[in-house]
Amino acid sequence: MQRQERENMIKFLSRVKEMSFEKLMVLTDADVEHLYTRAYNDHEVYEEVI
């Protein structure tokens, strides 16, 4: 995963899931990607409903 991609995922998670930036920074790339995928899919489904 590229650095910019990781930063974008962390910013998204900190806004949407209200997770602390500090906690997200210590997760592995795989953990960040997993959380991002779940949050993005949930967010996408929510947007479709509205």
Side-chain angles (χ1 to χ4, degrees):
M1 170 184 314
Q2 292 183 349
R3 180 182 171 109
Q4 186 62 48
E5 184 180 20
R6 180 181 169 89
E7 285 181 30
N8 291 340
M9 288 181 178
I10 288 174
K11 286 178 185 176
F12 178 80
L13 287 168
S14 65
R15 280 187 313 211
V16 173
K17 290 293 189 181
E18 299 178 3
M19 301 175 80
S20 80
F21 193 76
E22 293 79 18
K23 286 184 180 179
L24 291 167
M25 291 299 292
V26 298
L27 295 176
T28 65
D29 286 350
D31 290 336
V32 171
E33 191 168 0
H34 175 74
L35 289 171
Y36 174 81
T37 302
R38 290 189 61 203
Y40 186 81
N41 288 339
D42 291 347
H43 187 69
E44 196 174 56
V45 167
Y46 178 74
E47 288 295 320
E48 287 178 5
V49 172
I50 293 178

